[in-house]
């Protein structure tokens, strides 16, 4: 099964996630979908100082939307804000400094924001992949704390505010990382072109609710990241069933040429640069889900790629979780969230 998964994933990646995959899909896009005036809409984008998050914020600002950038590094955030304002001619861009790995910080920010601001669309874009097991100051494994718990707390804390506005939406960016492609390109082995060699990435990952903080066995940062992405997709589906007033969606941006790829995978970047999507290409579906009237005509809770809903599991991958396992995940996250609630 491992060979099968890797082979299917390899072919799928080359066909769909590269620049040529985007260009083929874009032939069927409706330009009118993004011809919108967002001057009366407020958007929050986490991880908005670079890469796909910044490109998303830029496109929203260009259309007149008020943008709230949630970032960890103040200097980089302010630099990105200046560039977005200069290019969009939109002054309604605001920076909020929040460490998404700190549950208490996320809670405090969300509560304060809700009291002082209106919000129409939350875009959960921030994420990390730490390759060594590290604990936050709150004693949580850092990948889990940032990618899953931080997203869970921010979203659940902002749901009441979202329910007060017209056409509220939550969009989650679920990148399918290409970390192990460097190994493939270097030695020709059949490795999974997403983030793990042995068991594939999010689309072939089965939820492991019994080890959310990766305390058992040898730690694998790429496996942790894949688990976090699976958890985010499940959360999107569950939230959609629980909160009918809000349109939830998650998406895969394809393989984009971002600063994270350039710095963390230089060999991969050098060999694949001509095939990688631009940041704007990677952000296209995020923007479409966040702003287009066409989005809300589709069912809530789906996973998108290039403006189309796609499956969250590969065929025969045995990656589906049971309702009981998903309930256990939600219960565990709620327990963690309440533990750190101010």
């Amino acid at each position: 099964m491992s060979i099968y998964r890797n082979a299917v994933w390899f072919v799928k990646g080359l066909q769909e996630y590269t620049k040529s995959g985007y260009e083929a899909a874009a032939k069927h896009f409706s330009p009118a979908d993004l011809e919108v005036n967002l001057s009366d809409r407020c958007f929050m984008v986490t991880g908005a100082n670079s890469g796909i998050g910044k490109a998303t914020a830029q496109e929203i600002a260009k259309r007149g939307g008020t943008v709230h950038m949630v970032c960890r590094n103040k200097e980089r955030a302010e630099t990105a804000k200046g560039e977005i304002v200069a290019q969009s001619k939109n002054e309604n861009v605001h920076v909020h400094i929040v460490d998404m790995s700190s549950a208490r910080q996320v809670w405090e920010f969300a509560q304060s924001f809700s009291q002082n601001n209106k919000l129409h669309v939350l875009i959960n874009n921030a994420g990390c992949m730490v390759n060594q097991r590290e604990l936050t100051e709150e004693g949580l494994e850092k990948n889990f704390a940032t990618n899953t718990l931080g997203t869970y707390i921010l979203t659940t804390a902002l749901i009441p505010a979202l329910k007060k506005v017209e056409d509220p939406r939550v969009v989650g960016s679920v990148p399918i990382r290409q970390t192990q492609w460097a190994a493939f390109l270097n030695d020709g082995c059949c490795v999974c072109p997403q983030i793990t060699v042995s068991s594939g990435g999010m689309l072939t990952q089965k939820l492991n609710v019994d080890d959310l903080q990766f305390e058992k066995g040898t730690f694998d940062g790429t496996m942790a990241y894949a688990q976090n992405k699976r958890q985010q997709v499940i959360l999107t589906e569950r939230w959609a069933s629980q909160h009918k007033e809000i349109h939830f969606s998650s998406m895969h941006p394809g393989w984009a040429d971002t600063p994270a790829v350039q710095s963390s995978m230089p060999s991969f970047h050098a060999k694949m640069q001509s095939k990688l999507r631009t940041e704007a290409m990677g952000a296209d579906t995020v923007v479409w889900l966040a702003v287009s009237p066409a989005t809300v005509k589709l069912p809530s809770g789906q996973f998108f790629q290039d403006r189309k809903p796609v499956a969250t599991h590969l065929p025969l991958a045995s990656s589906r979780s049971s309702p009981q396992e998903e309930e256990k995940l939600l219960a565990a996250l709620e327990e963690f969230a309440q533990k750190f609630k101010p």
Side-chain angles (χ1 to χ4, degrees), residues 34-192:
L34 297 185
E35 293 174 358
V36 292
N37 183 337
L38 304 176
S39 58
D40 60 344
R41 305 274 288 171
C42 299
F43 300 77
M44 181 184 293
V45 185
T46 66
N49 65 288
S50 67
I52 290 169
K54 181 183 175 185
T56 299
Q58 175 70 56
E59 291 300 315
I60 291 169
K62 279 171 55 178
R63 290 164 175 80
T66 296
V67 179
H68 294 276
M69 303 170 60
V70 177
C71 307
R72 184 172 58 88
N73 183 286
K74 182 174 177 58
E75 183 178 353
R76 289 201 292 266
E78 292 291 349
T79 298
K81 172 189 171 179
E83 293 170 354
I84 291 169
V85 169
Q87 292 177 25
S88 67
K89 312 303 181 186
N90 182 350
E91 296 287 342
N92 292 320
V93 181
H94 311 278
V95 167
H96 307 270
I97 303 304
V98 183
D99 183 350
M100 289 296 294
S101 73
S102 170
R104 287 189 180 89
Q105 268 195 49
V106 176
W107 265 122
E108 289 168 356
F109 164 69
Q111 291 173 335
S112 174
F113 184 92
S114 296
Q115 293 172 2
N116 300 296
N117 301 276
K118 183 168 60 174
L119 182 65
H120 293 89
V121 182
L122 168 61
I123 300 172
N124 287 312
N125 169 75
C128 74
M129 186 171 69
V130 180
N131 289 316
Q132 302 296 323
R133 190 173 189 275
E134 297 179 18
L135 299 183
T136 67
E137 292 182 359
E138 295 166 336
L140 301 173
E141 192 278 320
K142 197 164 190 176
N143 292 292
F144 169 75
T146 304
N147 300 328
T148 302
L149 185 59
T151 297
Y152 176 83
I153 291 173
L154 183 64
T155 304
T156 53
L158 291 175
I159 280 175
L162 287 163
K163 288 185 176 180
K164 295 177 181 178
V165 302
E166 183 179 351
D167 187 16
R169 309 184 193 187
V170 175
V171 182
S173 176
V174 183
I176 308 296
R177 295 284 188 191
Q178 57 269 45
T179 308
Q180 295 301 331
W181 269 57
F184 179 89
L185 292 167
N186 287 337
D187 61 28
C189 295
C190 183
V191 299
C192 171

Side-chain angles (χ1 to χ4, degrees), residues 2-14 177-201 204 255 268:
S2 177
I3 294 174
Y4 161 77
R5 291 174 180 171
N6 292 339
V8 170
W9 195 245
F10 177 77
V11 173
K12 185 178 180 67
L14 283 178
R177 295 284 188 191
Q178 57 269 45
T179 308
Q180 295 301 331
W181 269 57
F184 179 89
L185 292 167
N186 287 337
D187 61 28
C189 295
C190 183
V191 299
C192 171
Q194 188 224 8
I195 61 172
T196 64
V197 176
S198 60
S199 61
T204 57
W255 295 336
F268 168 84

Side-chain angles (χ1 to χ4, degrees), residues 204-338:
T204 57
Q205 270 298 294
K206 185 179 187 299
L207 176 67
N208 180 7
V209 75
D210 295 320
D211 191 20
L212 293 176
Q213 297 199 70
F214 317 105
E215 298 168 291
K216 303 173 184 177
T218 303
F219 180 78
D220 182 341
T222 57
M223 182 74 76
Y225 182 89
Q227 276 288 316
N228 296 158
K229 296 296 127 178
R230 172 58 68 193
Q231 292 157 6
Q232 288 181 356
V233 169
I234 290 171
L235 285 174
T236 297
E237 295 169 345
R238 284 303 184 113
W239 282 327
S241 67
Q242 294 170 354
H243 306 285
K244 303 295 186 181
E245 311 96 313
I246 303 173
H247 192 277
F248 289 87
S249 55
S250 57
M251 59 76 65
H252 169 34
W255 295 336
D257 189 354
T258 64
V261 172
Q262 296 165 19
S263 61
S264 63
M265 293 172 277
S267 176
F268 168 84
H269 181 264
K271 294 180 179 180
M272 288 289 290
Q273 185 175 10
S274 64
K275 294 181 172 61
L276 297 179
R277 299 181 176 199
T278 65
E279 292 173 345
M281 290 176 177
D284 176 82
T285 297
V286 185
V287 177
W288 181 79
L289 289 167
V291 311
S292 174
T295 299
V296 292
K297 297 176 182 178
L298 298 169
S300 182
Q302 295 189 101
F303 181 64
F304 288 80
Q305 174 187 313
D306 291 333
R307 303 194 191 183
K308 287 187 176 181
V310 294
T312 57
H313 304 270
L314 288 179
L316 306 177
S318 302
S319 56
R320 298 183 186 277
S321 50
S322 68
Q324 292 77 19
E325 289 171 322
E326 294 180 5
E327 288 293 344
K328 189 173 180 180
L329 169 65
L330 266 67
L333 291 175
E334 183 61 19
E335 183 177 346
F336 277 119
Q338 291 302 319

